[in-house]
Amino acid sequence: MRIIVQKFGGTSVATKEARTAVIGKIKNALDKGYSSIVVVSAMGRSGDTYATDTLINVAKAENPTIGKRELDAIMCCGEIISASVMSAAMQKEGLKAVLLTGGQAGIITDDNFSAARIIRVETRNLIKLLNEGYIPVVCGFQGVTADMLNITTIGRGGSDTTAAALGAALNAEVVEIYTDVDGIMTTDPRIVKEAKVLDCISYGEICQLAHQGAKVIHPRAVEIAMQKNIQLVVRSTFSDAPGTLITNNTRVETSDIILDDRVASGISFLKDIAQIRIDTNREDNTVSIRIFSELARNHINVDCLNVHPGEILFTVNSSDLDRSMSVLKEAGFDPSFRDNCAKISVVGGGMKDVPGVMATFVSAIANQGITILQTVDSTNTISAVVEQEYLHDTVKALHDAFNLAK
């Protein structure tokens, strides 16, 4: 059996016209001899009647401190509504669609409500339905605890993760992620109009782009697919564009691009971050341990970490700034901060050991008269922290400097 998993995002199932386009994609897969599993997100986006954020607001209007278990219950409703409507539309077109909740699809999670992790996928029910000619329409973003007593949600972007987990468990040939854009772009086209759709990209590169702010696909979904070497394709519900192939291969038959020879693949960014600086005693080798242990104990995530003799720099989300400052002061430190910052990252699997990459990066920003507040890098990522008012100018300058429009 040739299995394909097709995930459709909220805009892909929000209207009758969109659902008609979805059915066309499903029929195309069936015509190619695939057995299809469809995964759907909640219908629409924030503000729409059945969107997840709308449902959350309904519950929190009654009680802003609603328990996470109960909040998961209402959040699951968006995908159930979406799967029900999508199944109805498919049945009307003569397709043997059958709705499955996450639990009915065999997705077993831990009990960390609102951010559950998938423990395993029990595939027996799915395989039985596929053998009988059904098309399972699975509610994304949700699962059930091992004792089958509680429904859970697996965090934002969870429908991508659902699709990847099902694909990995069933050894699918491919997992298709359908959205309202033609594929993964070199950067946000709302900032750089010359941004291009990438033909292909490696698992590692797209994970980095996603972690650094790109929102086309969830990084956890990529990590799961990478473990089983299952190809992912990100493409549009509303066009016939081939989309972007995510793969381990450095050369793919559908593209002339060799991933290892491409210095940079894309630029992503994170907004609303704050930089914290702490001057330290050069002779105290334990100070960084005490700082980051205290922040971790208070569940504060840090990023852009630079530790030097006499100085420690790092960033936090702006929403965590006040709490971070209080925690550090209570621990006996004297931190200073700079708010309203942004982190811009250039990602590329081919930048390792390439001379001049950092020079290109720094020069592009400096030539715009923008001050770099901090840099961090890894084997395939270089990031800069700048004042947020210069975010767009920085992204444009780097996109041009690394020739990503060509």
Side-chain angles (χ1 to χ4, degrees):
M1 186 189 306
R2 299 176 62 207
I3 296 174
I4 185 172
V5 179
Q6 297 175 288
K7 178 263 176 176
F8 296 94
T11 56
S12 297
V13 295
T15 66
K16 183 179 287 293
E17 293 76 15
R19 291 189 289 273
T20 298
V22 167
I23 291 171
K25 301 299 183 184
I26 296 168
K27 287 182 175 179
N28 286 342
L30 298 177
D31 290 342
K32 292 177 182 178
Y34 285 109
S35 295
S36 177
I37 296 174
V38 174
V39 177
V40 294
S41 299
M43 297 166 65
R45 290 178 172 166
S46 181
D48 293 330
T49 305
Y50 303 117
T52 300
D53 284 332
T54 304
L55 297 173
I56 290 172
N57 290 337
V58 170
K60 289 194 171 182
E62 185 67 26
N63 177 8
T65 60
I66 180 175
K68 288 186 176 181
R69 177 180 177 276
E70 287 66 37
L71 193 61
D72 270 10
I74 195 168
M75 285 197 289
C76 285
C77 293
E79 277 69 23
I80 293 173
I81 293 168
S82 181
S84 178
V85 174
M86 194 68 241
S87 296
M90 292 167 63
Q91 291 168 1
K92 186 178 180 180
E93 292 295 317
L95 299 176
K96 290 181 65 176
V98 55
L99 180 154
L100 297 178
T101 65
Q104 290 169 333
I107 297 173
I108 310 302
T109 76
D110 60 24
D111 61 357
N112 183 23
F113 297 106
S114 297
R117 299 280 288 189
I118 296 174
I119 299 171
R120 65 182 184 276
V121 178
E122 297 178 352
T123 60
R124 182 173 57 184
N125 189 33
L126 283 168
I127 292 172
K128 177 177 180 293
L129 291 169
L130 291 172
N131 284 330
E132 293 173 354
Y134 285 97
I135 304 171
V137 181
V138 179
C139 301
F141 177 59
Q142 62 182 247
V144 66
T145 53
D147 58 13
M148 304 295 176
L149 294 178
N150 294 294
I151 56 176
T152 58
T153 63
I154 57 178
R156 289 307 176 96
S159 292
D160 290 349
T161 305
T162 297
L166 292 175
L170 292 162
N171 294 311
E173 283 192 18
V174 64
V175 174
E176 295 181 329
I177 306 293
Y178 283 93
T179 181
D180 54 3
V181 295
D182 284 340
I184 297 166
M185 305 193 75
T186 51
T187 196
D188 189 334
R190 293 170 296 183
I191 296 177
V192 180
K193 63 180 181 180
E194 298 85 8
K196 301 292 186 182
V197 175
L198 294 164
D199 293 332
C200 58
I201 192 168
S202 70
Y203 291 121
E205 288 175 308
I206 191 57
C207 272
Q208 283 297 323
L209 283 171
H211 280 301
Q212 302 304 331
K215 295 180 173 61
V216 176
I217 187 170
H218 197 276
R220 179 61 182 149
V222 180
E223 291 162 359
I224 290 171
M226 182 166 54
Q227 291 171 11
K228 296 291 287 285
N229 198 26
I230 293 173
Q231 291 186 348
L232 295 168
V233 179
V234 177
R235 54 169 48 123
S236 174
T237 304
F238 309 104
S239 78
D240 294 324
T244 302
L245 174 66
I246 304 171
T247 179
N248 260 337
N249 299 327
T250 55
R251 188 192 294 272
V252 293
E253 295 179 2
T254 57
S255 174
D256 294 328
I257 295 176
I258 303 174
L259 297 181
D260 286 347
D261 288 352
R262 185 172 60 199
V263 173
S265 296
I267 298 169
S268 56
F269 55 86
L270 293 166
K271 299 190 294 184
D272 301 319
I273 65 174
Q275 183 191 57
I276 295 178
R277 170 179 173 166
I278 302 175
D279 293 326
T280 62
N281 182 346
R282 288 174 173 266
E283 307 303 321
D284 187 349
N285 294 323
T286 68
V287 63
S288 59
I289 297 173
R290 290 186 282 117
I291 288 171
F292 296 115
S293 295
E294 196 65 27
L295 292 168
R297 191 174 66 82
N298 285 273
H299 308 289
I300 297 171
N301 292 322
V302 301
D303 193 15
C304 298
L305 174 61
N306 292 144
V307 178
H308 306 286
E311 179 188 62
I312 292 176
L313 284 171
F314 58 92
T315 61
V316 297
N317 292 330
S318 291
S319 58
D320 288 330
L321 176 58
D322 289 343
R323 192 157 57 96
S324 299
M325 295 295 286
S326 295
V327 166
L328 292 168
K329 288 177 180 178
E330 288 174 6
F333 299 102
D334 184 23
S336 59
F337 71 91
R338 186 192 296 264
D339 202 0
N340 300 314
C341 296
K343 175 186 178 185
I344 298 93
S345 302
V346 175
V347 176
M351 68 172 58
K352 182 181 179 182
D353 298 327
V354 176
V357 174
M358 181 60 84
T360 300
F361 181 89
V362 172
S363 297
I365 301 173
N367 288 341
Q368 299 299 311
I370 298 168
T371 299
I372 298 174
L373 305 174
Q374 188 180 351
T375 63
V376 290
D377 64 90
S378 65
T379 55
N380 59 2
T381 305
I382 303 175
S383 303
V385 177
V386 301
E387 293 183 57
Q388 189 158 297
E389 63 179 298
Y390 302 119
L391 168 62
H392 287 202
D393 290 340
T394 303
V395 171
K396 290 175 183 177
L398 290 170
H399 197 271
D400 182 58
F402 285 93
N403 298 312
L404 289 174
K406 296 181 181 181

